[in-house]
Amino acid sequence: MTASQSSPWPAPTASGTVTAAVTVPGSKSVTNRALVLAALAAGPGRLRRPLRSRDSALMAGALRALGVGIEEGAAPDGTEEWRVTPGGGLRGDAAVDVGNAGTVMRFLPPVAALAGGPVRFDGDPRSHERPLHGVIDALRTLGARIDDTAQGSRGALPLTVYGEGTLRGGPVEVDASSSSQFVSALLLSAPRFDKGVELRHTGDRLPSLPHIRMTVEMLRGAGAEVDAPEDGGEPHLWRVAPGDLRGRELTVEPDLSNAQPFLAAALVTGGRVTIRDWPRQTTQPGDALREIFTEMGGSCELVTTAAGTDLVFTGATSAGGVRGIDIDLSEVGELTPGIAAVAALANSPSRLRGVGHLRLHETDRLAALTREINGLGGDVTETADGLEIRPRALHGGVFHTYDDHRMATAGAVLGLLVEGVQVENVETTAKTLPGFPRMWAGLLAGKDTGPGAGPAAGAPAAADPRD
């Protein structure tokens, strides 16, 4: 829990219903998976409309340190495009800064095991507290040599992977109860292992399954042979055959989880928000917002336009208001902060279940949400696996974010209806949603808003990727 990067940001209060159209930047989850697959491919690839944020900058920087060429430019139609050139064998004797990006700290140690020398990993102080044991233990079983004794052998950062240019691979068991990224990390690099991988999850509950399905779909798109539980196989067992990955052109979907605060604005103000380019079929967990926010009192429809498909979401009416919800969020845990903020503004209690693993995210999100909502006069109780939220009249105050981007956007949602909310370190939204304060100002002004324009007057610019 760190001090603010700047003065607290006065969260704007909505003067009425919010009506606007929003273009959300590309998905962080898709961008970082695509970068890893392109780096391991047998030929060059192109990534169109990637997310430019702190997390994706850290991933690109780490891959460049390993000898991968990533050239940023524009496609013929003017959209942003990153050209990835694998460049043969991965380079060792490198240092990787993971920041506090779970995808970087977990996806890249398996890649580093294929490098030609040692690769050192370190990051922000919070990264030392986040679990990495599942990846470390599994890689050792598969033949990798890893030193995580810098602060005692504890399965966390900092660590060094001693790459030998290849990895044996084969069968391995992983308890991924604390993070589905343990599974995705091993699957992404598995085609390059000598024997591929046969991975079995041994824990009781596996959170965020949509993210693993995303990994499987993207592996198959790159030419990998994957057997997964959803194909009718054994539950919690994945097999990836060894083989070449092909470089390809991929257009990144908008980040649907980052659409959450904008949809929440429509929901709590009874307004209407259009999210541009919402995919009709996707593996992104954020797609669940359509059902969740409808259950909480809104309504939505997918509308076909000349440019594609838009999601039009209409908020709760004054007659019905925002309803509380009792829901298991184990598969979509990253949506919990935004849902908790809406629940605190609802007209009936809510119970959010299945998200005990959020204690190990960018911050302990359950403790943070409880502390910060209650600090504004709310009534939130932390349970073993979630939160119980009983709506009360809220008041202004500083809403601390703990360097967590989803805490910052949750604070912004509360500020729509609660005067005087000040969000500490709103710049942390640059982790996955650069330019958020400007986009939020555009939303409340009823303008079409997206990531491309400059900052609104009085709003901070997107944080430097090094922050």
Side-chain angles (χ1 to χ4, degrees), residues 33 176 179-181 183-184 187 201 204-217 228-230 235-238 283-285 329-334 357:
R33 282 166 172 78
S179 176
S180 69
Q181 289 179 351
V183 174
S184 287
L187 297 183
H201 164 62
D204 293 333
R205 173 173 290 207
L206 183 56
S208 303
L209 272 170
H211 277 127
I212 299 178
R213 297 187 189 111
M214 176 188 294
T215 298
V216 169
E217 182 178 277
E230 54 265 30
H236 293 171
L237 177 66
W238 293 263
T283 54
Q284 288 193 61
L329 296 173
S330 57
E331 291 202 353
V332 293
E334 66 191 56
H357 60 285

Side-chain angles (χ1 to χ4, degrees), residues 107-265:
F107 291 1
L108 288 191
V111 176
L114 301 169
V119 181
R120 296 169 293 281
F121 289 82
D122 204 351
D124 298 350
R126 172 62 179 174
S127 72
H128 296 181
E129 303 171 12
R130 300 184 68 182
L132 197 55
H133 54 86
V135 174
I136 294 171
D137 294 345
L139 285 174
R140 285 176 173 149
T141 297
L142 297 173
R145 186 161 61 97
I146 300 174
D147 180 5
D148 62 343
T149 60
Q151 298 185 26
S153 182
R154 58 192 184 92
L157 293 172
L159 60 83
T160 299
V161 178
Y162 293 91
E164 298 179 358
T166 186
L167 193 67
R168 182 182 67 245
V172 65
E173 293 185 345
V174 179
D175 183 350
S177 302
S178 57
S179 176
S180 69
Q181 289 179 351
F182 294 171
V183 174
S184 287
L186 296 162
L187 297 183
L188 285 167
S189 293
R192 289 284 302 272
F193 301 165
D194 294 344
K195 298 181 180 179
V197 78
E198 179 179 287
L199 187 154
R200 185 185 304 275
H201 164 62
T202 59
D204 293 333
R205 173 173 290 207
L206 183 56
S208 303
L209 272 170
H211 277 127
I212 299 178
R213 297 187 189 111
M214 176 188 294
T215 298
V216 169
E217 182 178 277
M218 293 184 68
L219 275 163
R220 288 171 173 162
E225 295 182 23
V226 186
D227 293 328
E230 54 265 30
D231 304 322
E234 185 177 339
H236 293 171
L237 177 66
W238 293 263
R239 294 184 180 91
V240 180
D244 288 339
L245 293 170
R246 62 171 178 265
R248 63 172 181 148
E249 181 176 307
L250 177 69
T251 298
V252 178
E253 297 174 352
D255 193 315
L256 305 188
S257 295
N258 277 337
Q260 183 179 39
F262 306 103
L263 297 175

Side-chain angles (χ1 to χ4, degrees), residues 256 259-268 273 275 278 289 293 311 313:
L256 305 188
Q260 183 179 39
F262 306 103
L263 297 175
L267 178 59
V268 302
V273 168
I275 305 295
W278 193 283
L289 288 167
F293 279 173
L311 176 69
F313 184 84

Side-chain angles (χ1 to χ4, degrees), residues 378-389:
D379 184 3
V380 181
T381 302
E382 191 174 344
T383 66
D385 74 337
L387 299 172
E388 292 181 352
I389 302 172

